[in-house]
Amino acid sequence: MLKMHHIGVVVNNIETTAKHYLKDIGGFTQSAVFFDEKQGINIQFLYPVDKTGLPVELIQPVSEKNPVANILRKSGVSPYHICYEADDIKEEYNKLRGGGYVCIGAFFEGVAHEGRICVFLYHNEMGLLELVESKK
């Protein structure tokens, strides 16, 4: 079974959006900002202080040619994926592929996920989701 891990939000500027979450909503702590060179994005997590809600992953494209920049142009600052944690990422990946999900890119080591393996999949009735392997 998959466990919800975080909600990914595409942003123009991590610092600006993080300030709004902290000031307007409150109740979050911030991670460091990670630069993922392979994906061409900056990433920061906002963790709920009470540990009962989901973390928010802020994703800022660093290039206009980045696929995430396309999402930002079309939708503006908005949630665009939900991440699920998987004990056996390859097994869960195969189940989803068998259920009609399309793989978006290859498996990769998530810079902001301590090098754990990740992969993105898409289904036209579910949208974009990310799988991240559970911590060992």
Side-chain angles (χ1 to χ4, degrees):
M1 185 165 88
L2 296 172
K3 177 183 166 192
M4 287 185 93
H5 187 268
H6 69 264
I7 297 172
V9 178
V10 63
V11 302
N12 291 304
N13 182 288
I14 282 179
E15 186 178 327
T16 302
T17 301
K19 283 181 185 176
H20 280 284
Y21 271 93
L22 296 170
K23 179 182 168 225
D24 302 343
I25 298 171
F28 289 99
T29 61
Q30 296 171 275
S31 75
V33 175
F34 300 91
F35 174 59
D36 187 327
E37 187 175 357
K38 289 182 182 176
Q39 294 190 73
I41 56 175
N42 287 321
I43 302 164
Q44 182 178 54
F45 281 94
L46 302 177
Y47 296 103
V49 172
D50 66 8
K51 300 183 192 250
T52 60
L54 287 175
V56 176
E57 179 187 33
L58 303 179
I59 302 120
Q60 175 188 334
V62 296
S63 163
E64 286 300 312
K65 296 176 184 174
N66 184 299
V68 176
N70 291 334
I71 295 168
L72 190 56
R73 275 192 295 279
K74 290 178 185 175
S75 303
V77 173
S78 62
Y80 85 101
H81 80 263
I82 298 176
C83 180
Y84 296 90
E85 192 170 32
D87 290 334
D88 185 334
I89 193 167
K90 291 188 178 170
E91 179 183 329
E92 297 296 344
Y93 170 84
N94 288 330
K95 280 186 204 174
L96 291 169
R97 292 281 291 138
Y101 286 78
V102 176
C103 182
I104 308 295
F107 286 86
F108 63 95
E109 291 182 7
V111 171
H113 297 296
E114 301 166 320
R116 290 182 283 158
I117 301 301
C118 304
V119 67
F120 281 94
L121 298 111
Y122 178 82
H123 191 285
N124 63 351
E125 296 294 331
M126 293 291 291
L128 187 65
L129 65 88
E130 178 183 15
L131 294 180
V132 62
E133 73 179 340
S134 299
K135 289 183 181 179
K136 306 283 184 204

